[in-house]
Amino acid sequence: MTISVLAVDDSRTMRDMITLALKNEDFHLHLAEDGVHGLEVLEETAPDVIITDINMPRLDGFGFIDAIRDRAASRHTPILVLTTESADELKTRARNAGATGWIVKPFAQDKLIRALRMVAG
Amino acid sequence: MSDPMQEIRASFFVECEELLENLFDAIQEMTEDPANKDTINIAFRAVHSIKGGAGAFQLDDLVAFAHQFETAMDMVRSDALEAGDTLVALFFRCGDMLSDLVRMSREGEDIDPDLYAPLIAELAECAGISLEEEEAEVDPADFQPMTLDLDLGADVDADFSFEDADFDAELAAILNDPPAAEIASDAPSGGGLSVHFAPKQSIFENGNEPLFLLRNLSDLSLCDIQLSFTPSQSFEQALDAPGLAWTLQLLDGDDEIAAREVFEFVDGLCELTIERTSPQTAPEPMASEADTQLIEVEAPKSSTPKPTSLPDPAPEDVPTAEVEPPSKPEPPAKEPKPASAKQSAPSATVRVDLDRIDRLVNLVGELVINQAMLSQSVLQAGLPKNTNISTGLDEFMQLTRDIQESVMMIRAQPVKSLFQRMSRIVREASAAVDKKVRLVTDGENTEIDKTVIERLADPLTHMIRNAVDHGLETSDQRLASGKSAEGVVRLTAAHRSGRVIIEISDDGSGINRPKVREIAVSKGLIHKDSKLTDSEIENLLFMPGFSTATEISNLSGRGVGMDVVKSAITALGGRISISSTDGKGTVFSISLPLTLAVLDGMVISVAGETLVVPLNAIAETLTLQPEIIERLGPETTVISVRDEFVPLFDLGVELGYRKPKPSYEGAIALLVVQEDGARSALVVDDIEDQRQVVIKGLQDSYGSVPGVAAATILGDGQIALILDAADLLGQATGRSRDLSTLEKAG
């Protein structure tokens, strides 16, 4: 089963890394550059899982998650937060905001895929 | 096959440059408006993104430094630290260090941690945290479990039981759940795991799907699965835990760590026990557990409970006393959602390999040549004007021009990145000579060819250093002469008549002309009796072997003189000039072509050869009347142009095509202006045309040919050399330098 993923990160490098990691796997990837852009993409697609960065211009990860949870269509869509190792408090905040899980940057391909499978089947 | 990781790595470093640019912009803005949260957010994000990417490529030093930098910025962000002058200055230096580390990482250089350790210590000191503390903070700890204060209404509960029915059906399909008895007989003797999993209501709020968890678990081992339902004892309990629990027997897997990993994201959102089952004891009959009260055993990682935030608004019929979480260590801070006016939406861009653009540039060059050849053929065919062919050809020519300009625009980049580098040079240089200097920049969005920008870095660096070191006075001297203690170096860029003008000026004391003259005489560059205009004295600075620093300071005394700067600018098809006002300062003005790929040239012929002279080198053309020619010797001729003697050279002779003519009466000459303002006249046989030509480098095939800049292909397919007039005349005037300083009396 192809899983459709929306990955939102303002860093091109991170978007590239995610693209590369999911390239030959059974994922259909949508990309967005920040929260606002992410919500726009969300209007057009219904991803099975959303990956989002926290520190982003215009609309950051917390605001983005809030907005996702506010939408009926994505209220229960799993959200994985991209975070750095040292930012434990961020994880807590993210989960309090409604995130499902997290991926610690830098991530290995198998870890990313495992996390996606864990929340999206 | 190219390694995709290498490509991403390369693109990471490109991104780093952009991020560093944002960072410096933001820090610069912090000096003006320290309280602006948007600014510090931009700076923070830039460092954070660099750190994130660096981690992916194991650039540990970069990560370590960025982390410390980011921590300090985060404190400013959360108002724990004030962005005062000292801190902003430190941020600037940290930005510089970050740039260095990025560059070193890109080049794959070894980085000595001692390089950035002092700055890390300074950052830590500013942030008021000891390094040990900070390191302890970094220690990864996992999510703490949370107690639940949920207030979901009955409708959610109903929802839930509905989902629950779905689960079971799906689970049966997925797990292909065999009858328990069958499994028991097949059970291997090695023992397994018993997993008890009872989700709390909150698990769904975060988008978790128990089905997937169970499926992941079942991937580990053949599973026996049992669903149990415990009716709630109270309403409050029902809100917290739905009363559903799954017990799974992993029959042939005993990897407890792997099993716990499956539940990583729901730690604290469920009750979870994972136990080893001994091979002897058969799994207990599940039915016995079904109606028993769940035993709450928290996962090992659990320790202090933390409250969750509130989910969606509570239905009215829920007791509100339970709603408020006991204590919120940190409210889930919501950053303002609306985009700040300053940040525009990301502009749509496509990144293209430079090689591809260069190929396009070359092809367009060919197109221009081809079009010219076609035009010429049509002309030679004698076709009348206003035919379809000639009008079509005109349109073709116009389109070709447009395409050419558009393609050139692709290579153009704003000078901003270059200017930002210069602000660093000013910071470093002013610190080295202990002067207060402010850099003012203007016209940062002026665009020039990328290659020009790259090759401008060194000359500009040198000139900026010079301005700080030699141009500006010390604070005391400035105060004494009634100026402010802080010197100003101004760097501007602007488009002017098809060229880019970059000016570097300082408000220092201006050039000390008597001293310059004295040095030039002592170094044998000029004769002690030479009469020089102010401008000529200033231009002595550009002569090879000239250095005004009487004592070599550790800043600008690096063996690079202004002559090197000048030749670098000249190599770019540019000109540099200097003007200075006593007590007011010095202005260096660099004029550059917009692109290196085409130039406006005059097509001339000499001794049967066709050549192109860059138009920007030609001041005027003249026909030599007998009365203006003055012969000074067998090899030296001058002409009088508006009361000034200008040395006359025969281009054919200078290029070795022919011997000097006995007389140049009636000949055509080009009056060529050199960067230092010195003029010379070049005799040519004929002026054929004036047009844009595409530059074809000769460097690769022939190396550097004196007097020849490049070659081009003309409309008729003929190859013509493009003259480097400055170089050619530099050699020629070397023979007769004294002449150029001759002034006609009156």
Side-chain angles (χ1 to χ4, degrees):
Chain A
M1 183 186 84
T2 301
I3 296 175
S4 85
V5 180
L6 167 63
V8 186
D9 198 312
D10 59 326
S11 159
R12 195 164 55 222
T13 307
M14 276 303 146
R15 293 199 300 272
D16 286 351
M17 297 287 293
I18 293 168
T19 309
L20 178 67
L22 302 184
K23 199 171 165 187
N24 296 319
E25 302 291 325
D26 212 1
F27 292 98
H28 184 65
L29 184 61
H30 302 274
L31 293 170
E33 294 179 1
D34 56 42
V36 173
H37 188 195
L39 288 173
E40 285 165 15
V41 177
L42 212 51
E43 289 300 320
E44 289 152 23
T45 56
D48 298 317
V49 55
I50 298 167
I51 303 174
T52 180
D53 187 25
I54 290 296
N55 288 292
M56 295 185 292
R58 301 209 290 169
L59 178 60
D60 73 0
F62 297 121
F64 181 49
I65 293 172
D66 265 348
I68 295 169
R69 292 288 178 243
D70 276 348
R71 295 169 78 254
S74 55
R75 182 153 299 151
H76 296 287
T77 306
I79 304 170
L80 293 174
V81 165
L82 281 168
T83 178
T84 46
E85 207 149 6
S86 55
D88 219 47
E89 176 246 359
L90 262 187
K91 284 192 216 167
T92 314
R93 276 177 73 188
R95 187 146 86 171
N96 288 351
T100 311
W102 54 88
I103 302 164
V104 175
K105 289 191 275 191
F107 54 80
Q109 183 190 23
D110 57 339
K111 266 189 157 179
L112 175 70
I113 291 171
R114 199 177 65 90
L116 286 171
R117 296 260 175 229
M118 206 130 79
V119 297
Chain B
M1 195 182 81
S2 68
D3 181 0
M5 272 310 272
Q6 281 306 314
E7 277 174 32
I8 296 180
R9 192 176 188 275
S11 106
F12 162 65
F13 284 116
V14 173
E15 189 182 10
C16 275
E17 294 302 322
E18 292 162 16
L19 292 168
L20 286 168
E21 206 171 281
N22 295 346
L23 174 67
F24 281 114
D25 274 353
I27 301 177
Q28 185 63 45
E29 273 181 46
M30 283 168 75
T31 60
E32 287 143 29
D33 184 7
N36 192 332
K37 279 279 176 293
D38 286 343
T39 313
I40 183 74
N41 269 329
I42 292 170
F44 175 85
R45 272 201 308 274
V47 179
H48 187 76
S49 291
I50 290 175
K51 174 178 139 183
F57 302 104
Q58 283 94 44
L59 305 169
D60 297 338
D61 294 283
L62 197 50
V63 173
F65 184 74
H67 175 70
Q68 202 62 239
F69 194 1
E70 167 194 280
T71 306
M73 288 213 175
D74 199 25
M75 290 181 76
V76 176
R77 217 160 62 131
S78 57
D79 290 323
L81 210 59
E82 199 190 333
D85 286 352
T86 324
L87 190 63
V88 172
L90 176 61
F91 281 175
F92 264 126
R93 282 187 291 134
C94 287
D96 292 342
M97 176 56 69
L98 199 62
S99 310
D100 283 347
L101 292 175
V102 164
R103 181 186 49 76
M104 291 168 87
S105 302
R106 183 180 55 221
E107 307 296 330
E109 288 174 26
D110 283 335
I111 297 171
D112 182 358
D114 287 346
L115 184 69
Y116 56 84
L119 273 177
I120 285 201
E122 263 190 80
L123 279 170
E125 195 188 329
C126 266
I129 41 171
S130 75
L131 287 174
E132 292 78 48
E133 262 178 58
E134 171 59 23
E135 262 158 35
E137 255 176 53
V138 175
D139 207 34
D142 236 312
F143 251 133
Q144 304 298 311
M146 306 174 189
T147 56
L148 293 158
D149 287 278
L150 295 175
D151 53 351
L152 291 160
D155 56 328
V156 180
D157 243 356
D159 240 17
F160 179 66
S161 25
F162 171 73
E163 282 184 22
D164 170 36
D166 267 1
F167 280 169
D168 249 3
E170 273 193 67
L171 264 180
I174 291 166
L175 301 176
N176 203 5
D177 192 14
E182 231 175 83
I183 289 172
S185 60
D186 285 353
S189 54
L193 290 173
S194 171
V195 177
H196 179 79
F197 166 58
K200 295 180 186 177
Q201 185 63 61
S202 56
I203 204 167
F204 302 101
E205 290 306 314
N206 284 64
N208 283 292
E209 175 62 272
L211 169 68
F212 296 146
L213 296 174
L214 299 177
R215 185 161 67 191
N216 275 300
L217 199 58
S218 74
D219 285 345
L220 296 174
S221 157
L222 188 62
C223 275
D224 176 22
I225 185 160
Q226 190 93 21
L227 171 69
S228 65
F229 176 64
T230 312
S232 303
Q233 301 289 306
S234 67
F235 186 61
E236 285 74 23
Q237 195 192 13
L239 292 178
D240 184 15
L244 288 164
W246 284 270
T247 307
L248 293 95
Q249 303 295 339
L250 274 65
L251 301 169
D252 57 355
D254 61 349
D255 187 346
E256 193 180 328
I257 295 167
R260 286 204 183 278
E261 272 182 5
V262 170
F263 294 96
E264 187 191 1
F265 292 155
V266 293
D267 184 12
L269 303 177
C270 65
E271 284 159 15
L272 180 69
T273 49
I274 298 179
E275 287 171 340
R276 268 171 199 286
T277 50
S278 62
Q280 289 83 15
T281 9
E284 279 177 39
M286 311 256 172
S288 67
E289 263 182 33
D291 293 325
T292 55
Q293 191 68 28
L294 294 170
I295 309 155
E296 182 155 348
V297 184
E298 286 187 329
K301 282 173 186 169
S302 323
S303 51
T304 42
K306 278 189 190 172
T308 61
S309 69
L310 291 176
D312 295 341
E316 296 78 8
D317 60 339
V318 171
T320 46
E322 291 285 301
V323 169
E324 195 61 41
S327 69
K328 285 185 175 182
E330 170 146 16
K334 290 175 192 172
E335 315 264 325
K337 280 183 196 179
S340 85
K342 265 193 163 176
Q343 296 155 357
S344 51
S347 60
T349 52
V350 178
R351 284 182 310 130
V352 183
D353 203 57
L354 202 57
D355 285 347
R356 291 193 192 180
I357 294 179
D358 286 345
R359 193 159 160 254
L360 187 62
V361 169
N362 268 329
L363 282 173
V364 171
E366 302 289 342
L367 184 68
V368 170
I369 291 166
N370 216 286
Q371 173 262 316
M373 286 165 73
L374 195 59
S375 298
Q376 194 145 344
S377 309
V378 169
L379 197 72
Q380 281 168 354
L383 284 172
K385 295 237 168 190
N386 300 325
T387 57
N388 284 345
I389 287 186
S390 73
T391 39
L393 206 60
D394 283 347
E395 280 165 21
F396 179 42
M397 190 166 76
Q398 192 55 46
L399 278 175
T400 313
R401 275 277 155 85
D402 289 351
I403 292 176
Q404 191 178 29
E405 270 173 29
S406 308
V407 169
M408 294 311 165
M409 287 289 290
I410 301 177
R411 282 190 56 98
Q413 279 190 332
V415 293
K416 185 171 184 180
S417 60
L418 183 67
F419 279 18
Q420 263 184 350
R421 282 163 78 179
M422 294 309 129
S423 73
R424 172 181 188 172
I425 303 297
V426 169
R427 283 197 296 279
E428 287 177 347
S430 56
V433 295
D434 199 23
K435 288 179 185 170
K436 272 190 180 169
V437 184
R438 185 161 51 98
L439 178 73
V440 178
T441 56
D442 192 28
E444 292 178 323
N445 292 323
T446 310
E447 294 192 338
I448 332 179
D449 188 282
K450 184 178 157 63
T451 313
V452 178
I453 290 182
E454 282 164 4
R455 291 206 232 148
L456 263 183
D458 284 345
L460 267 193
T461 302
H462 187 74
M463 291 166 75
I464 293 276
R465 281 205 185 111
N466 266 344
V468 173
D469 196 9
H470 307 308
L472 294 173
E473 319 91 322
T474 63
S475 298
D476 293 344
Q477 287 166 339
R478 289 181 65 87
L479 288 172
S481 56
K483 293 179 181 174
S484 65
E486 187 181 56
V488 175
V489 174
R490 191 176 291 273
L491 184 58
T492 63
H495 282 294
R496 213 174 292 160
S497 57
R499 290 176 77 85
V500 175
I501 312 294
I502 293 179
E503 285 191 346
I504 303 102
S505 57
D506 62 64
D507 67 344
S509 55
I511 289 170
N512 185 343
R513 295 195 192 90
K515 193 170 156 194
V516 168
R517 196 195 148 89
E518 192 184 306
I519 292 169
V521 170
S522 75
K523 297 206 169 172
L525 298 173
I526 53 167
H527 191 266
K528 69 178 168 52
D529 294 330
S530 321
K531 283 185 191 168
L532 300 184
T533 63
D534 284 355
S535 152
E536 281 164 341
I537 294 176
E538 284 158 7
N539 277 297
L540 288 172
L541 292 179
F542 294 119
M543 290 187 74
F546 189 96
S547 173
T548 47
T550 37
E551 54 188 274
I552 290 174
S553 73
N554 61 357
L555 190 61
S556 44
R558 296 188 185 195
V560 186
M562 284 301 290
D563 58 316
V564 178
V565 168
K566 185 181 172 180
S567 50
I569 302 291
T570 313
L572 291 171
R575 296 187 291 259
I576 182 165
S577 63
I578 182 172
S579 75
S580 170
T581 314
D582 279 339
K584 291 271 173 65
T586 310
V587 182
F588 284 92
S589 182
I590 300 172
S591 155
L592 292 159
L594 285 173
T595 168
L596 299 179
V598 285
L599 65 80
D600 283 309
M602 190 175 274
V603 184
I604 53 111
S605 65
V606 65
E609 298 285 335
T610 306
L611 295 162
V612 176
V613 184
L615 213 53
N616 61 41
I618 302 171
E620 59 186 289
T621 57
L622 29 96
T623 308
L624 300 180
Q625 305 299 332
E627 61 270 21
I628 66 166
I629 303 174
E630 303 219 14
R631 249 193 138 93
L632 297 187
E635 282 189 19
T636 313
T637 308
V638 296
I639 56 169
S640 164
V641 182
R642 285 183 289 280
D643 290 344
E644 196 181 331
F645 284 125
V646 174
L648 182 74
F649 301 101
D650 183 343
L651 186 57
V653 175
E654 296 306 324
L655 291 173
Y657 290 155
R658 65 179 173 211
K659 290 207 161 94
K661 286 183 181 177
S663 164
Y664 287 103
E665 280 177 27
I668 298 167
L670 311 176
L671 196 62
V672 175
V673 182
Q674 285 167 269
E675 271 75 10
D676 55 6
R679 301 191 294 176
S680 307
L682 265 184
V683 172
V684 300
D685 292 351
D686 198 10
I687 295 172
E688 292 181 0
D689 196 5
Q690 190 175 308
R691 69 160 75 128
Q692 269 202 334
V693 295
V694 179
I695 300 170
K696 298 275 172 191
L698 291 173
Q699 295 272 342
D700 292 348
S701 314
Y702 299 101
S704 178
V705 183
V708 176
T712 189
I713 304 172
L714 297 174
D716 56 1
Q718 196 189 340
I719 291 172
L721 295 178
I722 300 173
L723 214 59
D724 184 345
D727 186 48
L728 187 83
L729 291 169
Q731 294 173 37
T733 48
R735 285 203 316 256
S736 52
R737 177 174 291 121
D738 288 343
L739 285 176
S740 63
T741 61
L742 267 182
E743 276 178 273
K744 202 173 185 179

